[in-house]
Amino acid sequence: MISFVPAAARPDLIDQATGLTEKVWPEYNLHGDILNEYWSSLYDVFPEFQFVALDGERVVAEGHTIPCRWDGSVPGLPDGIDGLIADAFSLREQGGKPNTLCALAVEIPPEHQGRELSRLMLDHMRSLAAEQLFGDLIAPLRPSWKHRYPLTAIENYARWTRDDGLPLDPWLRVHRRLGADVLSTHERSLRITGTVAAWEEWTDMRFPESGDYVFPEGLALLDIDLDADRGTYWEPNVWVRHRID
């Protein structure tokens, strides 16, 4: 039986959940320029919106959400996940009133995938939004199969469907089956920069010359500039919306 517990109620579970991050995300994804400025503060500033999924007393998944303000229009969407998290923290600091919940991440390690946990986690996020009387749950999705097509524009990839009309991408498909609308795509959602040596460590690759590179688990190309000793990567996302009754 799966149960959900907010971090605010059981801070002792956070240590168990911390290990999930390393199992779920590629190493490079743990080094966002802007995202990392705020991520560790989610538990302190927004503890009621972070939660774990328990199977008995074992942590099997972790969910991260954050309240934000959105005008309901596509042009009014945040500037990717970087813009979203910066705006949400600024709104809290200024005492502003949020009207929307944003799903930041669902973290399910490989050993617990295939149990419909992703659907249950999204259902719980929708419940959190309803409890706050928010009209929408939005999410800057990281498509789970985009790394197979790093040369394809995210706008094109998001339109790809199967014979049954549902999205080709499994993560997009989970959201669509729950009634989510695909709003737009964002090519530059999450910025990650680092030295060439850092990128070689994160990707287990060598970059002998400057240029654009395909790399393992990358959703788009990595720009390497040897003269500047800098690697720059912009991860794309797909914005979706769940309407909350």
Side-chain angles (χ1 to χ4, degrees):
M1 180 67 178
I2 301 298
S3 59
F4 298 99
V5 180
R10 290 284 304 275
D12 59 298
L13 295 176
I14 299 305
D15 289 338
Q16 290 188 50
T18 300
L20 299 183
T21 300
E22 299 175 357
K23 294 182 179 181
V24 171
W25 305 109
E27 175 62 29
Y28 76 85
N29 257 138
L30 306 179
H31 302 277
D33 295 354
I34 295 175
L35 194 64
N36 279 24
E37 290 183 21
Y38 298 97
W39 194 263
S40 62
S41 299
L42 286 172
Y43 302 102
D44 296 325
V45 182
F46 301 99
E48 67 274 32
F49 294 101
Q50 320 310 314
F51 64 92
V52 296
L54 294 179
D55 186 353
E57 279 297 308
R58 181 175 57 168
V59 175
V60 295
E62 185 174 17
H64 301 282
T65 66
I66 193 167
C68 63
R69 188 154 191 87
W70 176 48
D71 65 9
S73 71
V74 172
L77 285 167
D79 189 16
I81 192 169
D82 283 350
L84 175 279
I85 198 165
D87 290 349
F89 270 84
S90 177
L91 184 71
R92 172 62 67 92
E93 291 171 2
Q94 296 172 11
K97 185 177 181 180
N99 64 355
T100 302
L101 189 65
C102 183
L104 291 173
V106 170
E107 298 175 338
I108 306 172
E111 64 266 29
H112 296 302
Q113 294 175 6
R115 301 173 54 187
E116 294 195 1
L117 280 173
S118 57
R119 178 182 61 81
L120 295 175
M121 296 285 281
L122 285 175
D123 277 340
H124 186 66
M125 289 178 172
R126 289 156 60 104
S127 296
L128 285 177
E131 290 172 5
Q132 298 293 322
L133 302 181
F134 293 156
D136 296 289
L137 171 72
I138 60 174
L141 299 188
R142 182 182 190 273
S144 54
W145 280 0
K146 180 63 175 70
H147 69 277
R148 301 182 180 185
Y149 310 93
L151 302 182
T152 300
I154 187 65
E155 180 180 3
N156 295 345
Y157 178 83
R159 290 198 298 260
W160 291 355
T161 59
R162 308 188 308 179
D163 291 341
D164 61 4
L166 289 172
L168 175 69
D169 186 82
W171 192 213
L172 275 173
R173 199 158 58 240
V174 171
H175 284 265
R176 287 291 292 128
R177 280 176 168 158
L178 289 174
D181 299 313
V182 176
L183 298 180
S184 69
T185 58
H186 201 296
E187 289 188 0
R188 295 190 165 197
S189 179
L190 168 64
R191 187 185 68 196
I192 302 174
T193 61
T195 64
V196 175
W199 273 104
E200 289 182 339
E201 179 181 353
W202 299 341
T203 61
D204 194 24
M205 288 180 62
R206 292 295 305 277
F207 303 111
E209 60 184 45
S210 297
D212 293 332
Y213 288 84
V214 171
F215 65 98
E217 302 298 318
L219 276 57
L221 297 177
L222 167 64
D223 175 36
I224 292 293
D225 185 336
L226 293 183
D227 292 335
D229 189 24
R230 180 66 55 183
T232 303
Y233 168 77
W234 282 97
E235 188 151 284
N237 76 251
V238 180
W239 280 107
V240 302
R241 169 178 59 188
H242 296 258
R243 297 183 183 275
I244 307 299
D245 294 332

